[in-house]
Amino acid sequence: MPHRGQQSTDGTGDGELAVPMAWLYAEYIADELLRSGDLMPPTSFEFRAGREALALTVFLSATDGELSGIRVITQLETWLSLTAYDQPWQEWVGERLAHLTAEAATATAAGRTPVDPDLELARSAWRWLRETELLAPDLNAVPGGAAGAGEDEGPKVWTPAWQLGLPLGHLAIHLF
């Protein structure tokens, strides 16, 4: 990546490279939660779906615009409630992204800040989660909702990545 001027972590200054620290930190937290749960191989698409869904949850739940390493443990309950099965997580993500995008557009138009690289990465993750479909067991087609004897047996259905990643992330938080 070409460097222009001095590096910056806050996106301020003319010609400086803005480093998306908030998004990278959210992704790191998500990755650590999933790895500690040892639910999927880190090279699988399912793991990526879980990491992206958790990273979005972590990033978008930071109300003050900054993630704090000290608060990770205190945030676990919030992330659990946001990723719970009966919660409208996808609507929450859409609303938070729309709100942050509107704020960023207003700030950019006023000349206060350049494009937010954290927000760009979050939108990219959400786009991947919505547009990518993964082949998963069709629990609705199996009598009693139980999976077949083997992992690769039984009916399969193409499912949006966020629908696989969200419960995986939720379980990883529980196991942490």
Side-chain angles (χ1 to χ4, degrees), residues 27-147:
E27 209 170 43
Y28 170 77
I29 292 169
D31 194 72
E32 286 300 312
L33 287 170
L34 284 165
R35 285 179 190 271
S36 70
D38 197 26
L39 299 169
M40 291 280 169
T43 56
S44 69
F45 282 111
E46 291 85 357
F47 184 91
R48 179 179 176 191
R51 185 186 63 226
E52 299 295 319
L54 265 180
L56 271 172
T57 304
V58 170
F59 177 75
L60 294 175
S61 66
T63 55
D64 60 359
E66 194 169 309
L67 295 170
S68 170
I70 297 168
R71 293 185 348 177
V72 168
I73 299 301
T74 63
Q75 292 289 82
L76 290 175
E77 286 300 319
T78 301
W79 301 335
L80 270 175
S81 67
L82 288 169
T83 59
Y85 177 74
D86 60 345
Q87 296 301 309
W89 181 83
Q90 67 277 17
E91 286 91 7
W92 174 77
V93 169
E95 289 169 6
R96 287 291 297 145
L97 283 174
H99 175 74
L100 292 174
T101 299
E103 282 182 351
T106 301
T108 301
R112 290 192 305 254
T113 61
V115 174
D116 182 357
D118 293 305
L119 184 56
E120 291 299 316
L121 288 172
R123 285 197 302 236
S124 176
W126 181 228
R127 193 169 32 258
W128 185 85
L129 284 167
R130 277 188 339 237
E131 295 173 0
T132 303
E133 291 189 342
L134 303 175
L135 196 57
D138 185 1
L139 299 179
N140 294 327
V142 179

Side-chain angles (χ1 to χ4, degrees), residues 2-32:
H3 295 279
R4 293 180 217 135
Q6 298 176 356
Q7 291 186 4
S8 169
T9 58
D10 64 0
T12 60
D14 266 343
E16 293 180 354
L17 177 65
V19 179
M21 293 304 292
W23 176 257
L24 293 174
Y25 188 54
E27 209 170 43
Y28 170 77
I29 292 169
D31 194 72
E32 286 300 312

